[in-house]
Short mmCIF file of all heavy atoms in Angstrom, two decimals:
data_model
loop_
_atom_site.label_atom_id
_atom_site.label_comp_id
_atom_site.label_asym_id
_atom_site.label_seq_id
_atom_site.Cartn_x
_atom_site.Cartn_y
_atom_site.Cartn_z
N GLU Q 1158 -2.49 24.36 -33.75
CA GLU Q 1158 -1.49 24.99 -34.61
C GLU Q 1158 -1.32 24.16 -35.87
O GLU Q 1158 -1.36 22.93 -35.85
CB GLU Q 1158 -0.16 25.13 -33.86
CG GLU Q 1158 -0.24 26.11 -32.70
CD GLU Q 1158 1.13 26.40 -32.09
OE1 GLU Q 1158 2.11 25.81 -32.57
OE2 GLU Q 1158 1.19 27.19 -31.15
N ILE Q 1159 -1.10 24.85 -36.95
CA ILE Q 1159 -0.96 24.20 -38.25
C ILE Q 1159 0.39 23.51 -38.37
O ILE Q 1159 1.40 23.99 -37.83
CB ILE Q 1159 -1.14 25.24 -39.39
CG1 ILE Q 1159 -1.22 24.54 -40.74
CG2 ILE Q 1159 -0.03 26.27 -39.36
CD1 ILE Q 1159 -1.61 25.48 -41.88
N GLU Q 1160 0.41 22.35 -39.01
CA GLU Q 1160 1.69 21.74 -39.38
C GLU Q 1160 2.23 22.52 -40.58
O GLU Q 1160 1.55 22.67 -41.59
CB GLU Q 1160 1.49 20.27 -39.75
CG GLU Q 1160 1.20 19.38 -38.56
CD GLU Q 1160 1.31 17.92 -38.93
OE1 GLU Q 1160 2.41 17.47 -39.31
OE2 GLU Q 1160 0.28 17.22 -38.85
N VAL Q 1161 3.44 23.01 -40.45
CA VAL Q 1161 3.97 23.96 -41.42
C VAL Q 1161 4.12 23.35 -42.81
O VAL Q 1161 3.86 24.01 -43.81
CB VAL Q 1161 5.32 24.52 -40.93
CG1 VAL Q 1161 5.93 25.48 -41.95
CG2 VAL Q 1161 5.14 25.22 -39.59
N ASP Q 1162 4.54 22.10 -42.88
CA ASP Q 1162 4.85 21.50 -44.17
C ASP Q 1162 4.58 20.00 -44.09
O ASP Q 1162 5.37 19.25 -43.51
CB ASP Q 1162 6.32 21.76 -44.52
CG ASP Q 1162 6.61 21.63 -46.00
OD1 ASP Q 1162 5.78 21.06 -46.73
OD2 ASP Q 1162 7.68 22.09 -46.43
N ASN Q 1163 3.44 19.56 -44.63
CA ASN Q 1163 3.14 18.14 -44.59
C ASN Q 1163 2.19 17.79 -45.72
O ASN Q 1163 1.66 18.67 -46.41
CB ASN Q 1163 2.51 17.75 -43.24
CG ASN Q 1163 1.07 18.22 -43.12
OD1 ASN Q 1163 0.66 19.20 -43.71
ND2 ASN Q 1163 0.30 17.51 -42.32
N GLN Q 1164 1.99 16.49 -45.93
CA GLN Q 1164 1.03 16.08 -46.95
C GLN Q 1164 0.57 14.66 -46.68
O GLN Q 1164 1.27 13.85 -46.06
CB GLN Q 1164 1.64 16.17 -48.35
CG GLN Q 1164 2.77 15.20 -48.64
CD GLN Q 1164 3.26 15.29 -50.08
OE1 GLN Q 1164 3.32 16.37 -50.66
NE2 GLN Q 1164 3.61 14.15 -50.66
N VAL Q 1165 -0.65 14.38 -47.13
CA VAL Q 1165 -1.23 13.05 -47.07
C VAL Q 1165 -1.71 12.72 -48.48
O VAL Q 1165 -2.40 13.53 -49.11
CB VAL Q 1165 -2.42 12.99 -46.09
CG1 VAL Q 1165 -3.06 11.61 -46.12
CG2 VAL Q 1165 -1.96 13.35 -44.69
N THR Q 1183 -3.62 14.72 -53.08
CA THR Q 1183 -2.60 15.14 -52.13
C THR Q 1183 -3.15 16.31 -51.33
O THR Q 1183 -3.44 17.37 -51.89
CB THR Q 1183 -1.31 15.57 -52.85
OG1 THR Q 1183 -0.84 14.49 -53.66
CG2 THR Q 1183 -0.23 15.97 -51.85
N THR Q 1184 -3.30 16.10 -50.03
CA THR Q 1184 -3.85 17.12 -49.15
C THR Q 1184 -2.79 17.48 -48.13
O THR Q 1184 -2.20 16.60 -47.51
CB THR Q 1184 -5.10 16.59 -48.43
OG1 THR Q 1184 -6.00 16.06 -49.40
CG2 THR Q 1184 -5.79 17.69 -47.66
N GLY Q 1185 -2.51 18.76 -47.99
CA GLY Q 1185 -1.46 19.13 -47.04
C GLY Q 1185 -1.25 20.61 -46.92
O GLY Q 1185 -2.11 21.42 -47.28
N THR Q 1186 -0.09 20.95 -46.38
CA THR Q 1186 0.28 22.35 -46.18
C THR Q 1186 1.65 22.60 -46.79
O THR Q 1186 2.50 21.71 -46.85
CB THR Q 1186 0.33 22.70 -44.68
OG1 THR Q 1186 1.20 21.79 -44.01
CG2 THR Q 1186 -1.05 22.63 -44.06
N GLN Q 1187 1.83 23.83 -47.26
CA GLN Q 1187 3.10 24.26 -47.83
C GLN Q 1187 3.39 25.67 -47.35
O GLN Q 1187 2.51 26.52 -47.36
CB GLN Q 1187 3.03 24.23 -49.36
CG GLN Q 1187 4.31 24.68 -50.06
CD GLN Q 1187 4.13 24.78 -51.56
OE1 GLN Q 1187 3.94 23.78 -52.23
NE2 GLN Q 1187 4.18 26.00 -52.09
N PRO Q 1188 4.62 25.95 -46.91
CA PRO Q 1188 4.92 27.24 -46.30
C PRO Q 1188 4.90 28.42 -47.26
O PRO Q 1188 5.10 28.28 -48.47
CB PRO Q 1188 6.34 27.06 -45.74
CG PRO Q 1188 6.59 25.60 -45.74
CD PRO Q 1188 5.77 25.04 -46.85
N VAL Q 1189 4.66 29.59 -46.69
CA VAL Q 1189 4.96 30.87 -47.32
C VAL Q 1189 6.19 31.40 -46.61
O VAL Q 1189 6.23 31.47 -45.38
CB VAL Q 1189 3.80 31.88 -47.12
CG1 VAL Q 1189 4.17 33.24 -47.68
CG2 VAL Q 1189 2.52 31.34 -47.75
N TRP Q 1190 7.23 31.74 -47.36
CA TRP Q 1190 8.48 32.21 -46.77
C TRP Q 1190 8.63 33.72 -46.93
O TRP Q 1190 8.15 34.31 -47.92
CB TRP Q 1190 9.68 31.53 -47.42
CG TRP Q 1190 9.82 30.09 -47.07
CD1 TRP Q 1190 10.24 29.56 -45.88
CD2 TRP Q 1190 9.55 28.96 -47.92
NE1 TRP Q 1190 10.25 28.18 -45.93
CE2 TRP Q 1190 9.82 27.78 -47.18
CE3 TRP Q 1190 9.10 28.83 -49.24
CZ2 TRP Q 1190 9.67 26.51 -47.69
CZ3 TRP Q 1190 8.94 27.55 -49.76
CH2 TRP Q 1190 9.22 26.41 -49.00
N GLY Q 1194 13.82 33.76 -46.03
CA GLY Q 1194 13.66 32.32 -46.10
C GLY Q 1194 13.04 31.69 -44.88
O GLY Q 1194 13.09 30.47 -44.71
N LYS Q 1195 12.41 32.50 -44.02
CA LYS Q 1195 11.76 31.96 -42.83
C LYS Q 1195 10.27 31.79 -43.11
O LYS Q 1195 9.64 32.65 -43.73
CB LYS Q 1195 11.95 32.92 -41.66
CG LYS Q 1195 13.39 33.10 -41.23
CD LYS Q 1195 13.50 34.10 -40.09
CE LYS Q 1195 14.95 34.29 -39.67
NZ LYS Q 1195 15.07 35.30 -38.58
N PRO Q 1196 9.69 30.67 -42.67
CA PRO Q 1196 8.25 30.46 -42.89
C PRO Q 1196 7.43 31.43 -42.04
O PRO Q 1196 7.62 31.53 -40.83
CB PRO Q 1196 8.02 29.01 -42.46
CG PRO Q 1196 9.15 28.69 -41.53
CD PRO Q 1196 10.31 29.50 -41.98
N VAL Q 1197 6.51 32.16 -42.71
CA VAL Q 1197 5.68 33.14 -42.00
C VAL Q 1197 4.20 32.77 -42.04
O VAL Q 1197 3.38 33.36 -41.33
CB VAL Q 1197 5.88 34.56 -42.59
CG1 VAL Q 1197 7.28 35.06 -42.27
CG2 VAL Q 1197 5.63 34.57 -44.09
N ALA Q 1198 3.85 31.82 -42.87
CA ALA Q 1198 2.49 31.30 -42.94
C ALA Q 1198 2.56 29.94 -43.62
O ALA Q 1198 3.59 29.56 -44.20
CB ALA Q 1198 1.59 32.24 -43.73
N SER Q 1199 1.48 29.21 -43.54
CA SER Q 1199 1.40 27.94 -44.25
C SER Q 1199 0.01 27.81 -44.85
O SER Q 1199 -1.00 28.10 -44.19
CB SER Q 1199 1.69 26.76 -43.32
OG SER Q 1199 1.86 25.57 -44.07
N LEU Q 1200 -0.03 27.41 -46.12
CA LEU Q 1200 -1.30 27.32 -46.84
C LEU Q 1200 -1.72 25.87 -47.00
O LEU Q 1200 -0.93 25.01 -47.38
CB LEU Q 1200 -1.19 27.96 -48.22
CG LEU Q 1200 -0.77 29.43 -48.30
CD1 LEU Q 1200 -1.00 29.97 -49.71
CD2 LEU Q 1200 -1.51 30.29 -47.28
N PHE Q 1201 -2.99 25.63 -46.75
CA PHE Q 1201 -3.60 24.33 -46.92
C PHE Q 1201 -4.09 24.20 -48.36
O PHE Q 1201 -4.67 25.12 -48.92
CB PHE Q 1201 -4.77 24.18 -45.95
CG PHE Q 1201 -5.53 22.90 -46.09
CD1 PHE Q 1201 -5.00 21.70 -45.65
CD2 PHE Q 1201 -6.79 22.90 -46.66
CE1 PHE Q 1201 -5.69 20.51 -45.78
CE2 PHE Q 1201 -7.51 21.72 -46.79
CZ PHE Q 1201 -6.96 20.53 -46.35
N TYR Q 1202 -3.84 23.04 -48.97
CA TYR Q 1202 -4.23 22.84 -50.36
C TYR Q 1202 -4.68 21.40 -50.57
O TYR Q 1202 -4.37 20.50 -49.78
CB TYR Q 1202 -3.06 23.16 -51.31
CG TYR Q 1202 -1.91 22.17 -51.20
CD1 TYR Q 1202 -1.85 21.04 -52.01
CD2 TYR Q 1202 -0.90 22.33 -50.24
CE1 TYR Q 1202 -0.82 20.11 -51.90
CE2 TYR Q 1202 0.12 21.42 -50.11
CZ TYR Q 1202 0.15 20.31 -50.94
OH TYR Q 1202 1.18 19.39 -50.82
N TYR Q 1280 -7.70 25.65 -43.53
CA TYR Q 1280 -6.75 25.39 -42.43
C TYR Q 1280 -5.48 26.24 -42.55
O TYR Q 1280 -4.53 26.03 -41.80
CB TYR Q 1280 -6.34 23.91 -42.43
CG TYR Q 1280 -7.46 22.94 -42.15
CD1 TYR Q 1280 -7.64 21.81 -42.96
CD2 TYR Q 1280 -8.34 23.14 -41.09
CE1 TYR Q 1280 -8.66 20.91 -42.72
CE2 TYR Q 1280 -9.37 22.24 -40.84
CZ TYR Q 1280 -9.53 21.13 -41.66
OH TYR Q 1280 -10.54 20.23 -41.41
N SER Q 1281 -5.42 27.17 -43.48
CA SER Q 1281 -4.24 28.01 -43.66
C SER Q 1281 -4.14 29.02 -42.52
O SER Q 1281 -5.15 29.59 -42.10
CB SER Q 1281 -4.30 28.74 -45.01
OG SER Q 1281 -4.39 27.83 -46.07
N ARG Q 1282 -2.91 29.27 -42.07
CA ARG Q 1282 -2.73 30.16 -40.92
C ARG Q 1282 -1.43 30.95 -41.01
O ARG Q 1282 -0.44 30.51 -41.64
CB ARG Q 1282 -2.69 29.35 -39.61
CG ARG Q 1282 -3.95 28.60 -39.24
CD ARG Q 1282 -5.10 29.53 -38.89
NE ARG Q 1282 -6.22 28.81 -38.34
CZ ARG Q 1282 -7.22 28.27 -39.06
NH1 ARG Q 1282 -7.20 28.39 -40.40
NH2 ARG Q 1282 -8.21 27.63 -38.47
N LEU Q 1284 1.92 32.06 -39.14
CA LEU Q 1284 2.76 31.32 -38.19
C LEU Q 1284 3.33 32.25 -37.12
O LEU Q 1284 3.57 33.44 -37.38
CB LEU Q 1284 3.91 30.64 -38.93
CG LEU Q 1284 3.52 29.58 -39.96
CD1 LEU Q 1284 4.76 29.04 -40.65
CD2 LEU Q 1284 2.72 28.45 -39.30
N TRP Q 1314 4.19 31.35 -53.67
CA TRP Q 1314 3.73 30.03 -53.22
C TRP Q 1314 3.51 29.11 -54.42
O TRP Q 1314 3.88 27.92 -54.39
CB TRP Q 1314 2.45 30.17 -52.41
CG TRP Q 1314 2.01 28.93 -51.70
CD1 TRP Q 1314 2.30 28.57 -50.40
CD2 TRP Q 1314 1.20 27.87 -52.24
NE1 TRP Q 1314 1.73 27.36 -50.11
CE2 TRP Q 1314 1.05 26.90 -51.22
CE3 TRP Q 1314 0.61 27.64 -53.47
CZ2 TRP Q 1314 0.31 25.73 -51.39
CZ3 TRP Q 1314 -0.12 26.47 -53.67
CH2 TRP Q 1314 -0.26 25.54 -52.63
N THR Q 1317 6.70 27.64 -55.85
CA THR Q 1317 7.17 26.49 -55.07
C THR Q 1317 6.34 25.25 -55.37
O THR Q 1317 6.88 24.15 -55.55
CB THR Q 1317 7.11 26.81 -53.57
OG1 THR Q 1317 7.90 27.97 -53.30
CG2 THR Q 1317 7.64 25.65 -52.74
N PHE Q 1318 5.03 25.42 -55.43
CA PHE Q 1318 4.16 24.27 -55.68
C PHE Q 1318 4.47 23.63 -57.04
O PHE Q 1318 4.60 22.41 -57.15
CB PHE Q 1318 2.69 24.68 -55.61
CG PHE Q 1318 1.75 23.55 -55.90
CD1 PHE Q 1318 1.33 22.71 -54.89
CD2 PHE Q 1318 1.30 23.29 -57.19
CE1 PHE Q 1318 0.48 21.63 -55.15
CE2 PHE Q 1318 0.47 22.23 -57.47
CZ PHE Q 1318 0.05 21.40 -56.44
N ARG Q 1321 7.82 21.80 -56.84
CA ARG Q 1321 7.77 20.57 -56.04
C ARG Q 1321 7.08 19.44 -56.80
O ARG Q 1321 7.46 18.27 -56.66
CB ARG Q 1321 7.03 20.83 -54.73
CG ARG Q 1321 7.83 21.57 -53.68
CD ARG Q 1321 7.06 21.60 -52.38
NE ARG Q 1321 7.85 22.19 -51.30
CZ ARG Q 1321 7.49 22.19 -50.01
NH1 ARG Q 1321 6.33 21.61 -49.67
NH2 ARG Q 1321 8.25 22.72 -49.09
N HIS Q 1322 6.07 19.77 -57.57
CA HIS Q 1322 5.27 18.74 -58.23
C HIS Q 1322 5.63 18.57 -59.70
O HIS Q 1322 4.89 17.92 -60.44
CB HIS Q 1322 3.79 19.05 -58.05
CG HIS Q 1322 3.34 18.98 -56.62
ND1 HIS Q 1322 2.96 17.81 -56.01
CD2 HIS Q 1322 3.26 19.94 -55.66
CE1 HIS Q 1322 2.64 18.04 -54.74
NE2 HIS Q 1322 2.81 19.34 -54.51
N TYR Q 1521 -6.97 13.59 -43.95
CA TYR Q 1521 -6.17 14.67 -43.37
C TYR Q 1521 -6.73 15.00 -41.99
O TYR Q 1521 -7.87 15.43 -41.84
CB TYR Q 1521 -6.20 15.91 -44.25
CG TYR Q 1521 -5.23 16.97 -43.80
CD1 TYR Q 1521 -3.89 16.93 -44.21
CD2 TYR Q 1521 -5.62 18.00 -42.96
CE1 TYR Q 1521 -2.99 17.89 -43.78
CE2 TYR Q 1521 -4.73 18.96 -42.53
CZ TYR Q 1521 -3.41 18.90 -42.94
OH TYR Q 1521 -2.51 19.86 -42.51
N GLU Q 1522 -5.91 14.81 -40.95
CA GLU Q 1522 -6.35 14.99 -39.57
C GLU Q 1522 -5.74 16.25 -38.97
O GLU Q 1522 -4.53 16.48 -39.05
CB GLU Q 1522 -5.96 13.78 -38.72
CG GLU Q 1522 -6.65 12.48 -39.10
CD GLU Q 1522 -8.13 12.48 -38.74
OE1 GLU Q 1522 -8.54 13.33 -37.91
OE2 GLU Q 1522 -8.87 11.65 -39.29
N LEU Q 1525 -7.45 21.92 -36.06
CA LEU Q 1525 -7.75 23.28 -36.50
C LEU Q 1525 -9.19 23.37 -37.01
O LEU Q 1525 -9.73 22.41 -37.56
CB LEU Q 1525 -6.82 23.69 -37.64
CG LEU Q 1525 -5.38 24.09 -37.28
CD1 LEU Q 1525 -4.59 24.31 -38.56
CD2 LEU Q 1525 -5.38 25.36 -36.44
#
Side-chain angles (χ1 to χ4, degrees):
E1158 293 188 359
I1159 189 171
E1160 288 192 62
V1161 178
D1162 200 345
N1163 74 332
Q1164 67 176 37
V1165 176
T1183 303
T1184 308
T1186 54
Q1187 179 187 293
V1189 175
W1190 289 286
K1195 296 178 181 178
V1197 291
S1199 191
L1200 302 192
F1201 176 73
Y1202 68 92
Y1280 296 133
S1281 302
R1282 296 292 189 272
L1284 298 177
W1314 190 94
T1317 303
F1318 178 87
R1321 283 187 174 189
H1322 295 275
Y1521 189 85
E1522 294 290 342
L1525 283 173

